[in-house]
Amino acid sequence: MDPTYPPEADAFRKKVTDFLAEHLPDGWAGLGALTNDDAETFSREWRRTLADNGFLGITWPVEYGGGGRSKVEQVVLAEELAKARVPMGRVSDVTTVKMLGNTLVRWGTEEQKQRFLPRIISGDDVWVQGYSEPNAGSDLGSVGLRAHRDGDEWVINGQKIWTSRGEEGTWIFLLARTDADAPKHKGITFILCPLDAAGVEVRPIRVLTGETEFCEVFFTDVRTPIEQRAG
């Protein structure tokens, strides 16, 4: 294995370091040097700065708002942001960009890519993950939330739990059991659902520190279009 970088990666590294020198505050000591409130404010502003300068979704196709860059350049960006002790986006971008965004780049329909990917980069949509349930954690074969098809819509009923940043979300990607007769690791569908849909209730889970990073999400006859299925 050759650990050296190609010339285009070195050129991109220079672009990243110039960007950091221009946009980081004087005397920047890293996110860990800030109070929780100041770190939250900085992360929001920094996320916007990254998006405005083309440093989010950098490997995504340019026609969907991405940078069209290589995986090597993505590694370079991660290295330089880590050295500078700044985040690669908001905490919610773990689910928004890395999980849902990359899934749509690979498996989404053309309509889904055109609709959702630019809004992910801009921050207009914040996606949260709907996997865990009271009786389903790492064993997703135990998923009990149900969705059945009614004409051109999915009708969703059930509960998710431990939804990180659920209060911030505008959309949720979830796993629903759509075929009750299939073996437990089959008959599961990946569905996209707006969190402002009728019948959705987000309940914060307050921990000992007083924070509410996690939420429960309840679905009661929630409807979402049939085409909002990934894969």
Side-chain angles (χ1 to χ4, degrees), residues 200-212:
V200 176
E201 180 184 2
V202 179
R203 298 182 191 172
I205 299 173
R206 190 170 300 279
V207 297
L208 289 176
T209 61
E211 296 175 313
T212 55

Side-chain angles (χ1 to χ4, degrees), residues 174-188:
L174 58 87
L175 295 180
R177 189 162 298 283
T178 50
D179 184 352
D181 296 325
K184 72 173 189 174
H185 287 95
K186 298 183 181 294
I188 298 172

Side-chain angles (χ1 to χ4, degrees), residues 23-46:
H23 288 89
L24 285 178
D26 292 337
W28 173 252
L31 201 63
L34 304 179
T35 65
N36 287 344
D37 288 344
D38 287 345
E40 184 72 17
T41 299
F42 175 85
S43 293
R44 290 182 182 276
E45 295 174 350
W46 183 247

Side-chain angles (χ1 to χ4, degrees), residues 103-104 106-109 112 189-192 226-231:
T103 295
L104 292 184
R106 175 65 179 86
W107 297 105
T109 64
Q112 288 169 349
T189 302
F190 190 107
I191 296 176
L192 315 176
I226 202 74
E227 63 267 17
Q228 288 179 182
R229 174 190 67 190

Side-chain angles (χ1 to χ4, degrees), residues 6-227:
E8 59 268 24
D10 292 332
F12 181 65
R13 189 183 301 277
K14 177 66 164 55
K15 177 181 176 70
V16 175
T17 55
D18 288 348
F19 161 78
L20 292 170
E22 178 182 353
H23 288 89
L24 285 178
D26 292 337
W28 173 252
L31 201 63
L34 304 179
T35 65
N36 287 344
D37 288 344
D38 287 345
E40 184 72 17
T41 299
F42 175 85
S43 293
R44 290 182 182 276
E45 295 174 350
W46 183 247
R47 202 262 185 212
R48 189 175 305 112
T49 300
L50 290 173
D52 290 345
N53 287 271
F55 289 112
L56 286 178
I58 68 167
T59 63
W60 296 0
V62 294
E63 58 265 34
Y64 309 124
R69 293 189 176 274
S70 68
K71 295 293 185 181
V72 172
E73 288 169 313
Q74 185 177 45
V75 171
V76 168
L77 175 63
E79 287 178 344
E80 294 305 320
L81 294 182
K83 289 178 186 177
R85 290 170 288 181
V86 291
M88 293 191 69
R90 296 271 293 123
V91 173
S92 54
D93 282 322
V94 173
T95 49
T96 300
V97 175
K98 292 184 178 180
M99 297 182 70
L100 190 277
N102 287 329
T103 295
L104 292 184
V105 169
R106 175 65 179 86
W107 297 105
T109 64
E110 184 63 25
E111 180 182 1
Q112 288 169 349
K113 293 175 184 178
Q114 291 182 3
R115 178 183 179 185
F116 292 121
L117 293 180
R119 292 181 60 85
I120 285 174
I121 291 175
S122 68
D124 291 330
D125 289 339
V126 176
W127 289 82
V128 296
Q129 171 188 286
Y131 288 177
S132 295
E133 298 179 6
N135 296 310
S138 56
D139 176 19
L140 292 177
S142 298
V143 163
L145 179 139
R146 301 294 180 97
H148 71 269
R149 183 169 181 168
D150 181 19
D152 293 331
E153 295 178 312
W154 296 109
V155 182
I156 307 169
N157 283 280
Q159 177 189 357
K160 296 295 180 179
I161 197 169
W162 308 122
T163 303
S164 299
R165 301 269 171 160
E167 288 184 289
E168 294 182 25
T170 58
W171 285 78
I172 186 170
F173 56 94
L174 58 87
L175 295 180
R177 189 162 298 283
T178 50
D179 184 352
D181 296 325
K184 72 173 189 174
H185 287 95
K186 298 183 181 294
I188 298 172
T189 302
F190 190 107
I191 296 176
L192 315 176
C193 180
L195 281 172
D196 62 356
V200 176
E201 180 184 2
V202 179
R203 298 182 191 172
I205 299 173
R206 190 170 300 279
V207 297
L208 289 176
T209 61
E211 296 175 313
T212 55
E213 181 178 352
F214 302 107
C215 295
E216 297 176 282
V217 186
F218 295 86
F219 300 82
T220 305
D221 292 331
V222 176
R223 291 178 175 268
T224 190
I226 202 74
E227 63 267 17

